[in-house]
mmCIF file of all heavy atoms in Angstrom:
data_model
loop_
_atom_site.group_PDB
_atom_site.id
_atom_site.type_symbol
_atom_site.label_atom_id
_atom_site.label_comp_id
_atom_site.label_asym_id
_atom_site.label_seq_id
_atom_site.Cartn_x
_atom_site.Cartn_y
_atom_site.Cartn_z
ATOM 1 N N GLY A 1 24.688 -6.597 9.717
ATOM 2 C CA GLY A 1 23.783 -6.873 8.610
ATOM 3 C C GLY A 1 22.350 -7.046 9.076
ATOM 4 O O GLY A 1 21.408 -6.617 8.410
ATOM 5 N N ALA A 2 22.168 -7.669 10.226
ATOM 6 C CA ALA A 2 20.824 -7.864 10.765
ATOM 7 C C ALA A 2 20.191 -6.530 11.147
ATOM 8 O O ALA A 2 18.986 -6.351 10.999
ATOM 9 C CB ALA A 2 20.877 -8.795 11.975
ATOM 10 N N LEU A 3 20.978 -5.604 11.633
ATOM 11 C CA LEU A 3 20.436 -4.295 11.992
ATOM 12 C C LEU A 3 20.042 -3.482 10.765
ATOM 13 O O LEU A 3 19.133 -2.662 10.826
ATOM 14 C CB LEU A 3 21.452 -3.518 12.839
ATOM 15 C CG LEU A 3 21.736 -4.108 14.217
ATOM 16 C CD1 LEU A 3 22.848 -3.326 14.907
ATOM 17 C CD2 LEU A 3 20.481 -4.114 15.065
ATOM 18 N N ARG A 4 20.708 -3.711 9.628
ATOM 19 C CA ARG A 4 20.386 -3.002 8.388
ATOM 20 C C ARG A 4 19.254 -3.655 7.625
ATOM 21 O O ARG A 4 18.679 -3.055 6.714
ATOM 22 C CB ARG A 4 21.613 -2.938 7.484
ATOM 23 C CG ARG A 4 22.655 -1.968 7.942
ATOM 24 C CD ARG A 4 23.771 -1.776 6.922
ATOM 25 N NE ARG A 4 23.489 -2.270 5.598
ATOM 26 C CZ ARG A 4 24.336 -2.990 4.867
ATOM 27 N NH1 ARG A 4 25.509 -3.291 5.355
ATOM 28 N NH2 ARG A 4 24.023 -3.407 3.660
ATOM 29 N N ALA A 5 18.918 -4.897 7.928
ATOM 30 C CA ALA A 5 17.946 -5.672 7.150
ATOM 31 C C ALA A 5 16.575 -5.009 7.026
ATOM 32 O O ALA A 5 16.026 -4.979 5.931
ATOM 33 C CB ALA A 5 17.813 -7.075 7.729
ATOM 34 N N PRO A 6 15.975 -4.467 8.088
ATOM 35 C CA PRO A 6 14.639 -3.884 7.916
ATOM 36 C C PRO A 6 14.591 -2.765 6.879
ATOM 37 O O PRO A 6 13.642 -2.689 6.098
ATOM 38 C CB PRO A 6 14.294 -3.351 9.308
ATOM 39 C CG PRO A 6 15.089 -4.197 10.227
ATOM 40 C CD PRO A 6 16.370 -4.484 9.496
ATOM 41 N N SER A 7 15.589 -1.920 6.823
ATOM 42 C CA SER A 7 15.577 -0.837 5.848
ATOM 43 C C SER A 7 15.828 -1.354 4.435
ATOM 44 O O SER A 7 15.346 -0.781 3.461
ATOM 45 C CB SER A 7 16.619 0.225 6.205
ATOM 46 O OG SER A 7 17.918 -0.320 6.132
ATOM 47 N N LEU A 8 16.553 -2.451 4.295
ATOM 48 C CA LEU A 8 16.832 -3.011 2.975
ATOM 49 C C LEU A 8 15.675 -3.849 2.440
ATOM 50 O O LEU A 8 15.526 -3.998 1.229
ATOM 51 C CB LEU A 8 18.100 -3.872 3.029
ATOM 52 C CG LEU A 8 19.388 -3.137 3.374
ATOM 53 C CD1 LEU A 8 20.527 -4.133 3.528
ATOM 54 C CD2 LEU A 8 19.713 -2.115 2.312
ATOM 55 N N LEU A 9 14.857 -4.394 3.320
ATOM 56 C CA LEU A 9 13.774 -5.271 2.899
ATOM 57 C C LEU A 9 12.476 -4.538 2.604
ATOM 58 O O LEU A 9 11.515 -5.136 2.153
ATOM 59 C CB LEU A 9 13.526 -6.340 3.970
ATOM 60 C CG LEU A 9 14.669 -7.312 4.189
ATOM 61 C CD1 LEU A 9 14.345 -8.255 5.341
ATOM 62 C CD2 LEU A 9 14.935 -8.103 2.924
ATOM 63 N N PHE A 10 12.423 -3.240 2.857
ATOM 64 C CA PHE A 10 11.209 -2.478 2.604
ATOM 65 C C PHE A 10 10.984 -2.374 1.109
ATOM 66 O O PHE A 10 11.898 -2.107 0.342
ATOM 67 C CB PHE A 10 11.320 -1.075 3.220
ATOM 68 C CG PHE A 10 10.086 -0.253 3.006
ATOM 69 C CD1 PHE A 10 8.948 -0.511 3.746
ATOM 70 C CD2 PHE A 10 10.062 0.741 2.063
ATOM 71 C CE1 PHE A 10 7.809 0.231 3.553
ATOM 72 C CE2 PHE A 10 8.921 1.494 1.863
ATOM 73 C CZ PHE A 10 7.791 1.236 2.611
ATOM 74 N N SER A 11 9.764 -2.609 0.689
ATOM 75 C CA SER A 11 9.455 -2.529 -0.735
ATOM 76 C C SER A 11 8.298 -1.567 -0.953
ATOM 77 O O SER A 11 7.742 -1.012 -0.016
ATOM 78 C CB SER A 11 9.098 -3.911 -1.282
ATOM 79 O OG SER A 11 7.919 -4.370 -0.674
ATOM 80 N N GLY A 12 7.919 -1.411 -2.163
ATOM 81 C CA GLY A 12 6.813 -0.525 -2.516
ATOM 82 C C GLY A 12 5.476 -1.117 -2.111
ATOM 83 O O GLY A 12 5.385 -2.132 -1.437
ATOM 84 N N THR A 13 4.416 -0.477 -2.560
ATOM 85 C CA THR A 13 3.083 -0.907 -2.170
ATOM 86 C C THR A 13 2.626 -2.117 -2.955
ATOM 87 O O THR A 13 1.761 -2.851 -2.512
ATOM 88 C CB THR A 13 2.077 0.228 -2.383
ATOM 89 O OG1 THR A 13 2.059 0.572 -3.772
ATOM 90 C CG2 THR A 13 2.425 1.435 -1.537
ATOM 91 N N GLY A 14 3.153 -2.313 -4.155
ATOM 92 C CA GLY A 14 2.718 -3.428 -4.966
ATOM 93 C C GLY A 14 1.425 -3.156 -5.695
ATOM 94 O O GLY A 14 0.810 -4.072 -6.240
ATOM 95 N N ASP A 15 0.979 -1.910 -5.682
ATOM 96 C CA ASP A 15 -0.265 -1.555 -6.359
ATOM 97 C C ASP A 15 -0.122 -1.679 -7.864
ATOM 98 O O ASP A 15 0.901 -1.323 -8.443
ATOM 99 C CB ASP A 15 -0.673 -0.120 -6.021
ATOM 100 C CG ASP A 15 -1.085 0.039 -4.574
ATOM 101 O OD1 ASP A 15 -1.457 -0.971 -3.963
ATOM 102 O OD2 ASP A 15 -1.021 1.175 -4.066
ATOM 103 N N ILE A 16 -1.165 -2.174 -8.501
ATOM 104 C CA ILE A 16 -1.240 -2.236 -9.952
ATOM 105 C C ILE A 16 -2.319 -1.253 -10.370
ATOM 106 O O ILE A 16 -3.503 -1.442 -10.060
ATOM 107 C CB ILE A 16 -1.581 -3.660 -10.436
ATOM 108 C CG1 ILE A 16 -0.504 -4.640 -9.973
ATOM 109 C CG2 ILE A 16 -1.749 -3.690 -11.946
ATOM 110 C CD1 ILE A 16 -0.844 -6.089 -10.226
ATOM 111 N N ALA A 17 -1.901 -0.186 -11.025
ATOM 112 C CA ALA A 17 -2.847 0.866 -11.401
ATOM 113 C C ALA A 17 -3.978 0.308 -12.250
ATOM 114 O O ALA A 17 -3.774 -0.565 -13.091
ATOM 115 C CB ALA A 17 -2.106 1.964 -12.151
ATOM 116 N N HIS A 18 -5.176 0.824 -12.011
ATOM 117 C CA HIS A 18 -6.396 0.477 -12.754
ATOM 118 C C HIS A 18 -6.847 -0.965 -12.535
ATOM 119 O O HIS A 18 -7.667 -1.467 -13.288
ATOM 120 C CB HIS A 18 -6.227 0.745 -14.255
ATOM 121 C CG HIS A 18 -5.734 2.126 -14.560
ATOM 122 N ND1 HIS A 18 -6.472 3.252 -14.260
ATOM 123 C CD2 HIS A 18 -4.581 2.564 -15.093
ATOM 124 C CE1 HIS A 18 -5.790 4.324 -14.623
ATOM 125 N NE2 HIS A 18 -4.624 3.936 -15.118
ATOM 126 N N SER A 19 -6.331 -1.636 -11.521
ATOM 127 C CA SER A 19 -6.793 -2.990 -11.216
ATOM 128 C C SER A 19 -7.981 -2.900 -10.253
ATOM 129 O O SER A 19 -8.158 -1.893 -9.561
ATOM 130 C CB SER A 19 -5.674 -3.816 -10.588
ATOM 131 O OG SER A 19 -5.368 -3.320 -9.305
ATOM 132 N N PRO A 20 -8.799 -3.939 -10.183
ATOM 133 C CA PRO A 20 -9.916 -3.915 -9.231
ATOM 134 C C PRO A 20 -9.461 -3.738 -7.786
ATOM 135 O O PRO A 20 -10.105 -3.036 -7.004
ATOM 136 C CB PRO A 20 -10.591 -5.273 -9.431
ATOM 137 C CG PRO A 20 -10.230 -5.678 -10.815
ATOM 138 C CD PRO A 20 -8.852 -5.125 -11.043
ATOM 139 N N SER A 21 -8.369 -4.363 -7.430
ATOM 140 C CA SER A 21 -7.893 -4.222 -6.050
ATOM 141 C C SER A 21 -7.423 -2.796 -5.766
ATOM 142 O O SER A 21 -7.610 -2.288 -4.657
ATOM 143 C CB SER A 21 -6.775 -5.215 -5.772
ATOM 144 O OG SER A 21 -5.671 -4.973 -6.613
ATOM 145 N N PHE A 22 -6.824 -2.140 -6.744
ATOM 146 C CA PHE A 22 -6.382 -0.756 -6.558
ATOM 147 C C PHE A 22 -7.590 0.164 -6.388
ATOM 148 O O PHE A 22 -7.595 1.040 -5.531
ATOM 149 C CB PHE A 22 -5.529 -0.314 -7.748
ATOM 150 C CG PHE A 22 -4.968 1.073 -7.610
ATOM 151 C CD1 PHE A 22 -3.893 1.309 -6.775
ATOM 152 C CD2 PHE A 22 -5.524 2.137 -8.298
ATOM 153 C CE1 PHE A 22 -3.365 2.580 -6.635
ATOM 154 C CE2 PHE A 22 -5.010 3.410 -8.162
ATOM 155 C CZ PHE A 22 -3.922 3.625 -7.331
ATOM 156 N N ARG A 23 -8.632 -0.042 -7.202
ATOM 157 C CA ARG A 23 -9.843 0.775 -7.077
ATOM 158 C C ARG A 23 -10.510 0.529 -5.724
ATOM 159 O O ARG A 23 -10.957 1.467 -5.064
ATOM 160 C CB ARG A 23 -10.804 0.470 -8.216
ATOM 161 C CG ARG A 23 -10.343 1.032 -9.548
ATOM 162 C CD ARG A 23 -11.435 0.990 -10.596
ATOM 163 N NE ARG A 23 -11.875 -0.376 -10.891
ATOM 164 C CZ ARG A 23 -11.339 -1.158 -11.818
ATOM 165 N NH1 ARG A 23 -10.328 -0.716 -12.545
ATOM 166 N NH2 ARG A 23 -11.802 -2.374 -12.017
ATOM 167 N N THR A 24 -10.569 -0.727 -5.295
ATOM 168 C CA THR A 24 -11.164 -1.046 -3.999
ATOM 169 C C THR A 24 -10.376 -0.416 -2.869
ATOM 170 O O THR A 24 -10.951 0.149 -1.932
ATOM 171 C CB THR A 24 -11.224 -2.573 -3.800
ATOM 172 O OG1 THR A 24 -11.955 -3.149 -4.879
ATOM 173 C CG2 THR A 24 -11.869 -2.932 -2.490
ATOM 174 N N ASP A 25 -9.061 -0.481 -2.943
ATOM 175 C CA ASP A 25 -8.211 0.132 -1.926
ATOM 176 C C ASP A 25 -8.434 1.634 -1.875
ATOM 177 O O ASP A 25 -8.520 2.225 -0.795
ATOM 178 C CB ASP A 25 -6.747 -0.190 -2.205
ATOM 179 C CG ASP A 25 -5.837 0.243 -1.076
ATOM 180 O OD1 ASP A 25 -6.132 -0.096 0.092
ATOM 181 O OD2 ASP A 25 -4.845 0.935 -1.361
ATOM 182 N N SER A 26 -8.578 2.266 -3.025
ATOM 183 C CA SER A 26 -8.833 3.709 -3.072
ATOM 184 C C SER A 26 -10.171 4.053 -2.428
ATOM 185 O O SER A 26 -10.273 5.033 -1.677
ATOM 186 C CB SER A 26 -8.806 4.208 -4.513
ATOM 187 O OG SER A 26 -7.555 3.982 -5.089
ATOM 188 N N LEU A 27 -11.199 3.260 -2.707
ATOM 189 C CA LEU A 27 -12.509 3.493 -2.104
ATOM 190 C C LEU A 27 -12.463 3.301 -0.588
ATOM 191 O O LEU A 27 -13.046 4.086 0.167
ATOM 192 C CB LEU A 27 -13.545 2.564 -2.725
ATOM 193 C CG LEU A 27 -13.924 2.847 -4.172
ATOM 194 C CD1 LEU A 27 -14.805 1.739 -4.715
ATOM 195 C CD2 LEU A 27 -14.612 4.193 -4.294
ATOM 196 N N LEU A 28 -11.792 2.259 -0.137
ATOM 197 C CA LEU A 28 -11.685 2.016 1.301
ATOM 198 C C LEU A 28 -10.917 3.130 2.002
ATOM 199 O O LEU A 28 -11.285 3.556 3.100
ATOM 200 C CB LEU A 28 -11.011 0.669 1.562
ATOM 201 C CG LEU A 28 -11.846 -0.565 1.271
ATOM 202 C CD1 LEU A 28 -10.997 -1.820 1.385
ATOM 203 C CD2 LEU A 28 -13.034 -0.644 2.201
ATOM 204 N N ARG A 29 -9.858 3.617 1.370
ATOM 205 C CA ARG A 29 -9.091 4.710 1.979
ATOM 206 C C ARG A 29 -9.911 5.994 2.044
ATOM 207 O O ARG A 29 -9.770 6.774 2.974
ATOM 208 C CB ARG A 29 -7.798 4.957 1.202
ATOM 209 C CG ARG A 29 -6.762 3.907 1.430
ATOM 210 C CD ARG A 29 -5.471 4.254 0.687
ATOM 211 N NE ARG A 29 -4.528 3.190 0.799
ATOM 212 C CZ ARG A 29 -3.749 2.992 1.867
ATOM 213 N NH1 ARG A 29 -3.817 3.816 2.879
ATOM 214 N NH2 ARG A 29 -2.908 1.991 1.889
ATOM 215 N N ALA A 30 -10.765 6.214 1.050
ATOM 216 C CA ALA A 30 -11.602 7.416 1.052
ATOM 217 C C ALA A 30 -12.665 7.345 2.145
ATOM 218 O O ALA A 30 -12.976 8.349 2.786
ATOM 219 C CB ALA A 30 -12.257 7.589 -0.311
ATOM 220 N N ASP A 31 -13.215 6.158 2.377
ATOM 221 C CA ASP A 31 -14.293 6.015 3.366
ATOM 222 C C ASP A 31 -13.784 5.827 4.792
ATOM 223 O O ASP A 31 -14.433 6.227 5.744
ATOM 224 C CB ASP A 31 -15.194 4.838 2.999
ATOM 225 C CG ASP A 31 -16.049 5.134 1.775
ATOM 226 O OD1 ASP A 31 -16.208 6.331 1.440
ATOM 227 O OD2 ASP A 31 -16.539 4.173 1.159
ATOM 228 N N PHE A 32 -12.638 5.190 4.952
ATOM 229 C CA PHE A 32 -12.097 4.899 6.283
ATOM 230 C C PHE A 32 -10.691 5.481 6.380
ATOM 231 O O PHE A 32 -9.724 4.840 5.990
ATOM 232 C CB PHE A 32 -12.041 3.389 6.527
ATOM 233 C CG PHE A 32 -13.373 2.707 6.386
ATOM 234 C CD1 PHE A 32 -13.681 2.021 5.222
ATOM 235 C CD2 PHE A 32 -14.308 2.776 7.395
ATOM 236 C CE1 PHE A 32 -14.900 1.400 5.074
ATOM 237 C CE2 PHE A 32 -15.531 2.157 7.249
ATOM 238 C CZ PHE A 32 -15.839 1.475 6.086
ATOM 239 N N GLU A 33 -10.598 6.674 6.920
ATOM 240 C CA GLU A 33 -9.304 7.345 7.006
ATOM 241 C C GLU A 33 -8.485 6.740 8.142
ATOM 242 O O GLU A 33 -8.846 6.843 9.298
ATOM 243 C CB GLU A 33 -9.496 8.838 7.225
ATOM 244 C CG GLU A 33 -10.174 9.526 6.062
ATOM 245 C CD GLU A 33 -10.362 11.001 6.310
ATOM 246 O OE1 GLU A 33 -9.653 11.562 7.179
ATOM 247 O OE2 GLU A 33 -11.217 11.584 5.647
ATOM 248 N N ASN A 34 -7.401 6.095 7.805
ATOM 249 C CA ASN A 34 -6.481 5.532 8.779
ATOM 250 C C ASN A 34 -5.087 5.591 8.168
ATOM 251 O O ASN A 34 -4.724 4.749 7.354
ATOM 252 C CB ASN A 34 -6.857 4.088 9.115
ATOM 253 C CG ASN A 34 -5.981 3.524 10.217
ATOM 254 O OD1 ASN A 34 -5.041 4.166 10.676
ATOM 255 N ND2 ASN A 34 -6.279 2.317 10.643
ATOM 256 N N PRO A 35 -4.284 6.582 8.542
ATOM 257 C CA PRO A 35 -2.973 6.736 7.908
ATOM 258 C C PRO A 35 -1.927 5.724 8.373
ATOM 259 O O PRO A 35 -0.830 5.690 7.846
ATOM 260 C CB PRO A 35 -2.561 8.145 8.319
ATOM 261 C CG PRO A 35 -3.243 8.347 9.630
ATOM 262 C CD PRO A 35 -4.553 7.607 9.521
#
């Protein structure tokens, strides 16, 4: 179970569309490319 835990605990980004934080994140990703 411990070996499977990392794959089970992964979640989405938590982004809320059209929120200020989402817009800021989009601007930062456009200016500073770091995949």
Side-chain angles (χ1 to χ4, degrees):
L3 294 175
R4 286 188 15 225
S7 64
L8 296 174
L9 295 176
F10 181 75
S11 64
T13 61
D15 292 338
I16 300 172
H18 308 296
S19 68
S21 62
F22 183 76
R23 287 193 298 271
T24 303
D25 189 50
S26 299
L27 290 172
L28 287 172
R29 286 183 186 279
D31 289 341
F32 303 101
E33 295 180 20
N34 185 355

